Amino acid sequence: MIPASGKRRRRSVALALAVAAVLAAPSSSQAEPGELDPSFGTAGVVETDLGSEDIAADVTTDSSGRVIVAGRSERYEEGESEAVVVRYTPTGTLDPTFGGGDGITRFHFSGGSVDFLSAVAVDDKGRIVVAGSPDLYCTSSCAPALARLTASGQLDPNFGGGDGIVIPSGGSAALSLALDADDRILLGTGDAVYRFMESGAPDPTFDGDGVASVIGADAGLAIDGGGRVVIAEYSGIERLLASGSPDMEFGSDGLVSPGIIGDGLTHYPIALAVDAANRVIVSGVAFDSSINGSFIMQLTETGSLDPAFSGDGVITDENDAGFRDVAVDAAGRYLVTGSAPDLYSNGSVLIRLLSNGSFDPGFGNGGGFTGVPFIAEDVASDPDQRIVVAGTDGGDVNFAVARYLSDVSASPPPPQSATSSTASVTGPETKTHLGCHSARRRVARLRRKLRRTTAKQQRSRVRAQLRRAQGRAKRLC
């Protein structure tokens, strides 16, 4: 994913040194988008030890700029795990007005002992909605579970049966969550989407009984500007109408398969976002027998690959990349977390892309990316458009949160036509297109693979892959 420029970025610089260099910059210099926010925590980073192996799964912010992280605190040897929600003040301290006065809420679903949370959202009244399961290890079933907390972090007695908890019958663990404009709750599992009214009761206007059978929503769930429900699962992307029925104007009968990319790799979506133009942005893994990487693709409102993004609608990083989450900021730029060895050989990375698929030259000292000093899982923006990344410290296994500065005045870039050239950062000869370098690398790998392959049938398949890769490289570079 290194931009195809004359000088290759040094990959040997450790993440810690990169962060230290930022912090050591002269105080008179103006802070730039992509730098750690010194007004948050300790030099932009907060770590919270909850007493066990603490796994942060999702992050969001509220209207006051407070940061809410949901996950679990696990005692593996005892076979126990509890659902945990942590709220930080805008300065990165544990919020004393939340939970037990220490900024932390711990609870179990329905008397269970191995609970976990996978998703969190805040409604218009400041209440916190979380989703997960009462069975971390799936010893009996991976049932979905839902809870709502008051703004002070207590289980909400006005939700569900009076205990603030809803456990739908059947189904599998809840892994995705969204709130619509009416504060109705949409819950995504491995085979269904549930919609609940504000009270926690099933919404009978959604597919008749509040449950719509789908391919699965393990990888993400979002609501677009038309009130339609967009979901992603390992086998594809699906869109439902607000009524819960499949949207026949999206893809093929409401479904898009990642196989449309057609580059010979297997693609599994793992995260999903929708922008203001109702375009669908999906990140995930891409692999075959010799490649282990990740992809980002953009679909038009009708579900086709968007040629305004990277020339053909998809970016692939084949160098052991591991994209974890994708989000859209207020200016229509895409925030991507995960690992990308071409950018940083040590640690996670935060990338900001323009909607045409190129690195944002206004972020990360002009490179479009910056390092994250822990295992990054999820990303969100606060009301001031500062970027919040949550994850887990790899050494002590604690909740970890970082906040990065951003620019609030930026406006979305104009759409890029399929034939227009990619903008440059450092000069007219410096391509910033993420796809160009990856396309060239794939051509080189396929050529090497063809030389090593002796079986006639397999050589034919590799030749076909090589022709497609060469065509893509020609378009992008």
Side-chain angles (χ1 to χ4, degrees):
M1 283 176 62
I2 297 175
S5 57
K7 292 184 178 181
R8 186 178 179 88
R9 295 185 184 275
R10 293 183 61 188
R11 296 174 53 188
S12 61
V13 180
L15 175 59
L17 295 178
V19 174
V22 172
L23 299 179
S27 59
S28 59
S29 63
Q30 185 176 358
E32 298 291 338
E35 294 182 5
L36 285 165
D37 183 354
S39 69
F40 184 82
T42 302
V45 180
V46 174
E47 184 176 321
T48 303
D49 184 356
L50 300 171
S52 301
E53 294 192 354
D54 312 317
I55 310 298
D58 198 15
V59 64
T60 190
T61 63
D62 65 13
S63 60
S64 299
R66 295 175 296 197
V67 178
I68 301 105
V69 181
R72 71 180 188 268
S73 184
E74 181 182 358
R75 295 176 293 278
Y76 181 79
E77 291 182 357
E78 291 83 3
E80 297 178 355
S81 175
E82 58 188 347
V84 180
V85 181
V86 180
R87 191 168 76 188
Y88 302 91
T89 68
T91 61
T93 60
L94 290 168
D95 188 349
T97 68
F98 187 79
D102 57 357
I104 302 169
T105 293
R106 307 168 186 259
F107 67 93
H108 289 285
F109 291 113
S110 189
S113 62
V114 285
D115 309 84
F116 74 91
L117 298 178
S118 54
V120 61
V122 179
D123 71 12
D124 290 336
K125 297 180 176 65
R127 298 170 300 195
I128 298 170
V129 182
V130 291
S133 175
D135 194 350
L136 171 63
Y137 307 117
C138 297
T139 53
S140 56
S141 67
C142 294
L146 183 67
R148 192 172 71 197
L149 307 179
T150 64
S152 62
Q154 312 304 316
L155 286 167
D156 189 348
N158 298 314
F159 185 75
D163 58 358
I165 292 173
V166 172
I167 300 181
S169 60
S172 57
L175 296 177
S176 56
L177 172 71
L179 306 179
D180 70 9
D182 298 318
D183 277 338
R184 294 178 298 194
I185 302 166
L186 288 111
L187 190 68
T189 73
D191 55 11
V193 172
Y194 298 75
R195 192 166 75 191
F196 301 92
M197 296 185 290
E198 191 175 354
S199 65
D203 184 354
T205 67
F206 187 73
D207 209 34
D209 58 357
V211 185
S213 296
V214 296
I215 59 168
D218 290 349
L221 185 153
I223 301 170
D224 72 7
R228 298 166 298 200
V229 182
V230 186
I231 61 174
E233 199 259 351
Y234 293 131
S235 58
I237 302 99
E238 189 172 0
R239 194 170 71 193
L240 307 177
L241 300 174
S243 64
S245 59
D247 184 354
M248 297 301 180
E249 296 183 359
F250 183 77
S252 176
D253 295 335
L255 180 66
V256 173
S257 167
I260 61 171
I261 294 175
D263 59 2
L265 301 178
T266 298
H267 299 82
Y268 283 164
I270 60 173
L272 167 77
V274 177
D275 72 2
N278 295 328
R279 294 175 296 198
V280 180
I281 303 94
V282 180
S283 65
V285 297
F287 62 90
D288 65 7
S289 58
S290 60
I291 293 172
N292 181 27
S294 285
F295 74 93
I296 304 168
M297 72 174 171
Q298 178 170 292
L299 303 176
T300 66
E301 189 171 4
T302 60
S304 60
L305 285 169
D306 189 350
F309 182 78
S310 188
D312 60 359
V314 64
I315 295 166
T316 304
D317 187 317
E318 300 165 3
N319 189 29
D320 295 324
F323 300 148
R324 296 296 306 159
D325 192 35
V326 60
V328 182
D329 72 8
R333 300 164 300 200
Y334 305 153
L335 308 173
V336 182
T337 56
S339 61
D342 279 351
L343 302 181
Y344 273 120
S345 59
N346 182 22
S348 295
V349 68
L350 168 64
I351 303 167
R352 193 166 79 183
L353 305 178
L354 301 179
S355 61
N356 61 17
S358 61
F359 280 114
D360 185 351
F363 187 78
N365 294 320
F369 63 91
T370 189
V372 180
F374 49 81
I375 302 170
E377 287 292 334
D378 203 70
V379 61
S381 296
D382 73 4
D384 293 325
Q385 293 309 302
R386 294 169 298 196
I387 302 167
V388 180
V389 177
T392 303
D393 174 76
D396 298 327
V397 195
N398 296 327
F399 275 24
V401 183
R403 192 169 72 193
Y404 294 84
L405 299 173
S406 186
D407 42 343
V408 298
S409 60
S411 57
Q416 181 188 12
S417 67
T419 57
S420 64
S421 61
T422 304
S424 63
V425 172
T426 59
E429 296 182 357
T430 303
K431 297 283 187 179
T432 62
H433 216 299
L434 277 168
C436 175
H437 186 71
S438 293
R440 287 173 169 169
R441 189 169 60 243
R442 177 162 173 77
V443 168
R445 288 189 179 188
L446 286 171
R447 283 173 174 164
R448 291 194 297 269
K449 186 175 182 179
L450 185 62
R451 289 195 295 268
R452 296 193 303 267
T453 302
T454 58
K456 183 177 180 180
Q457 186 175 6
Q458 188 176 1
R459 285 181 64 84
S460 297
R461 286 198 298 269
V462 175
R463 284 197 188 97
Q465 293 173 356
L466 178 59
R467 285 194 296 270
R468 289 194 295 268
Q470 289 171 327
R472 185 167 186 268
K474 183 178 181 179
R475 292 194 303 272
L476 297 180
C477 306

